Amino acid sequence: MTRRRLFLVVAVASLTALTSPAGAPAQPPQRGGVFRIGAPDAPGLDPHQIDNFLSQTYVSLAYSHLVRFPAGPEQTSSTDFRILPDLAEKWDASKDGTLYTFHLRRGVRFHKKPPVNGREVTADDVKYSLERFREKSPRRARFDPVQSIDAVDRYTVRIVLKEPFAPFLNHLANASHTAIVPREAEEKFRDFNHPDAVIGTGPFVLKTYDRGVRLVFDRNADYFIAGLPYLDGVTVEIVPDQAARLALLRTGKVELAHWWGWLSPEDGRALKRTNPEMVVTTIMIADLAQIYLRTDQPPFNDVRVRRAVSLAIDRKAWNEALLFGEGCIDSGPVPCAMTEWKLDASKLDDPQRKYLLGYDTTEAKRLLAEAGFPKGFATPVFHWPGFAPPWRSYYDLAADQLSRVGITAELRPEELGKYSTTTSLGKFEKMAMGPYGASVTEVDDFLYALFFSRSPWNRSRVNEADLDRLLLAQRRELDPKKRREIVHEIQRYLADKAYYVHLPMYPRYISHPPYVKGFKPHDGFDLGRRLMYTWIERSSR
């Protein structure tokens, strides 16, 4: 089958899935009701300029993309990253994967807000939006392979790539970075941070935003998928404190106590005890917990020291102490939840597996002595203390376990702005800790982003020519089976290098009242599509 034919088949099958009764919930959805979420405030609303999980999540309610991921009854799992039509009703690609042609749905209109006032979406809007992403987004490196974006006619967009790029469609679907926006809004408001500038074609319309208090979204009555969304609206109550949000969930004042519905294992288990009526399910998401090591600085430019750090971590004890035995120990460099791409540690050689997952304090001390540190050494550990539980315990446990091999970890907390603009981009001294992922939907973002020598997200400053060649090769391979083989080869290459030290990853407890129906978690920022199929059983509320 040609690639052009393959893309047309996928598009037609996806459109069928949107309308097929076979995909509908067993219980008929009820229309109406306002869905309430407790969450912190966002630093801004511009989908292209702001690289923040809260910003991207909130505006995802208002925006659409050329393509999207499955949601609700369409999806098979929380990591179902098949590509479905959104503003593009179909697309095709050249055999060599360097030319994509998208055919837009006709009659799709922007929200009825000035200065756009409900006009039709055209190919010019797509070109303007994607060019703006290329120019202004902190994630614009995702479009490095893009050579040109052209509006062929009113409803056709052509994108030419410099070379084949396997993650391309996934990046187009990952909300809300490549959201399609109207030029007039930027011309009037200078960017898209003003609430009145949030004008898209998504399932909900931003009505009001009282900063520090709440965001109010109304149902988009003109949404291009007939009959959706079911909800009348969505309200985000700004509540910075997690304990306060959990109290609101317990007392029925919000439907979610987290922007994606997550609770930590500790909070989730406690909620099940105090509120047994709550619906609480667990999922493992595509996320990493890591110690970052500056491999371009002593002492972590020595692989013996890095391996000693890894061997100092008792992952089984960590899992039992903090995660009730529910965590994933074989947690990186590809996350546990990305089963399609994950190379199981059992397929590694014993020495490789030892330095990836092993615990051996005697061997760790021997390696440190061999590297010139018989009495150990001290190192700062930069981190942001605001990550949700159990992260505060992660920092303390890491410091405790490292101390047992002679490494004194001096915890250095940072405020979010500094962490986001320095430490998370590899601008720190010696050692740091934190999560990576949560909203990531492409395996390339766990490999190329974290390990490629020129990637801004290469926190450990890895610089290996052979590794770079493999990372580029998996990006350029369009055959999924062949690409998977390269991804597995990359994992074998990385296993004993300890560029990052991977810590156990915990499941998320998705928690909401029993009257909430149709809400299904999905990795990525796209809360809008999750709530598109969500409905409220009014008789039970």
Side-chain angles (χ1 to χ4, degrees), residues 60-349:
S60 75
L61 278 76
Y63 291 120
S64 303
H65 304 76
L66 277 175
V67 293
R68 66 177 177 86
F69 300 128
E74 304 162 339
Q75 71 186 62
T76 58
S77 72
S78 62
T79 54
D80 183 352
F81 299 129
R82 290 173 297 128
I83 305 299
L84 303 187
D86 203 18
L87 291 177
E89 65 179 356
K90 61 182 179 179
W91 61 93
D92 51 22
S94 62
K95 187 175 182 179
D96 67 356
T98 61
L99 173 62
Y100 288 79
T101 304
F102 296 89
H103 306 277
L104 304 184
R105 299 176 191 259
R106 301 185 181 217
V108 176
R109 297 187 175 276
F110 284 112
H111 299 155
K112 293 177 180 177
K113 296 171 64 173
V116 184
N117 300 313
R119 73 161 174 82
E120 188 181 30
V121 178
T122 69
D124 287 334
D125 295 309
V126 175
K127 175 178 170 60
Y128 160 73
S129 300
L130 298 185
E131 292 285 12
R132 187 176 188 270
F133 171 84
R134 287 178 78 188
E135 177 185 351
K136 298 186 176 184
S137 174
R139 297 279 180 174
R140 59 185 174 272
R142 289 178 172 179
F143 268 29
D144 281 350
V146 174
Q147 179 173 304
S148 62
I149 304 169
D150 295 298
V152 178
D153 57 36
R154 186 173 177 84
Y155 301 108
T156 308
V157 178
R158 179 191 298 129
I159 300 178
V160 179
L161 305 184
K162 302 169 189 173
E163 61 184 10
F165 185 47
F168 182 58
L169 288 175
N170 187 291
H171 288 334
L172 286 178
N174 191 351
S176 295
H177 295 290
T178 55
I180 306 305
V181 299
R183 182 190 300 269
E184 303 97 305
E186 184 171 39
E187 291 173 347
K188 179 175 181 178
F189 298 105
R190 300 202 303 179
D191 59 27
F192 291 87
N193 283 307
H194 193 286
D196 292 341
V198 180
I199 303 172
T201 59
F204 299 94
V205 181
L206 181 59
K207 181 180 180 182
T208 62
Y209 177 25
D210 188 357
R211 190 162 184 80
V213 181
R214 70 177 56 85
L215 297 91
V216 177
F217 293 85
D218 285 345
R219 178 179 184 269
N220 178 9
D222 300 311
Y223 188 48
F224 55 85
I225 299 182
L228 297 175
Y230 300 124
L231 298 167
D232 286 337
V234 178
T235 299
V236 179
E237 300 289 347
I238 304 303
V239 185
D241 182 67
Q242 170 66 16
R245 298 197 299 268
L246 194 54
L248 293 175
L249 178 64
R250 282 193 166 103
T251 55
K253 295 179 180 177
V254 297
E255 278 66 63
L256 296 181
H258 177 280
W259 47 99
W260 296 323
W262 297 350
L263 294 180
S264 69
E266 183 176 359
D267 286 344
R269 292 165 74 94
L271 183 68
K272 288 172 71 174
R273 290 194 301 270
T274 61
N275 295 73
E277 78 283 1
M278 289 284 180
V279 176
V280 181
T281 56
T282 60
I283 62 164
M284 190 66 70
I285 68 162
D287 197 8
L288 298 176
Q290 297 175 314
I291 297 175
Y292 331 137
L293 305 171
R294 282 291 297 267
T295 64
D296 59 338
Q297 295 178 350
F300 300 116
N301 57 343
D302 190 324
V303 68
R304 294 170 295 185
V305 176
R306 300 196 303 270
R307 287 172 173 172
V309 173
S310 185
L311 289 170
I313 302 300
D314 186 347
R315 293 165 179 82
K316 291 182 179 179
W318 188 299
N319 187 34
E320 293 299 326
L322 295 184
L323 309 180
F324 305 96
E326 298 176 350
C328 171
I329 293 176
D330 179 15
S331 59
V334 172
C336 310
M338 281 194 167
T339 55
E340 180 184 2
W341 302 103
K342 179 84 174 162
L343 177 67
D344 192 275
S346 64
K347 297 181 179 180
L348 296 171
D349 295 336

Side-chain angles (χ1 to χ4, degrees), residues 383-506:
H383 65 284
W384 179 51
F387 286 117
W391 265 99
R392 292 179 186 176
S393 299
Y394 268 43
Y395 304 130
D396 292 334
L397 188 54
D400 175 66
Q401 293 192 347
L402 290 174
S403 71
R404 299 178 189 183
V405 300
I407 299 175
T408 301
E410 301 168 350
L411 297 180
R412 301 278 182 87
E414 299 176 307
E415 55 90 19
L416 180 58
K418 184 175 186 301
Y419 178 86
S420 299
T421 57
T422 59
T423 301
S424 71
L425 297 176
K427 300 173 183 177
F428 61 90
E429 295 297 315
K430 296 188 177 181
M431 183 185 286
M433 275 184 70
Y436 177 85
S439 63
V440 169
T441 58
E442 231 293 334
V443 69
D444 184 66
D445 278 344
F446 289 105
L447 297 177
Y448 181 93
L450 291 180
F451 294 96
F452 188 71
S453 58
R454 296 188 297 278
S455 167
W457 300 95
N458 181 352
R459 295 168 169 177
S460 288
R461 303 289 183 92
V462 181
N463 190 353
E464 291 267 3
D466 290 341
L467 178 58
D468 279 357
R469 282 191 286 272
L470 286 171
L471 293 168
L472 290 171
Q474 63 83 24
R475 288 186 133 198
R476 294 166 178 161
E477 181 53 67
L478 300 179
D479 183 296
K481 183 176 180 180
K482 293 179 180 178
R483 187 184 180 208
R484 188 178 301 111
E485 291 172 356
I486 301 172
V487 168
H488 284 182
E489 184 178 354
I490 291 170
Q491 292 172 79
R492 289 189 184 93
Y493 183 95
L494 293 172
D496 63 356
K497 304 294 191 300
Y499 292 130
Y500 298 82
V501 173
H502 303 288
L503 308 172
M505 177 45 61
Y506 53 95

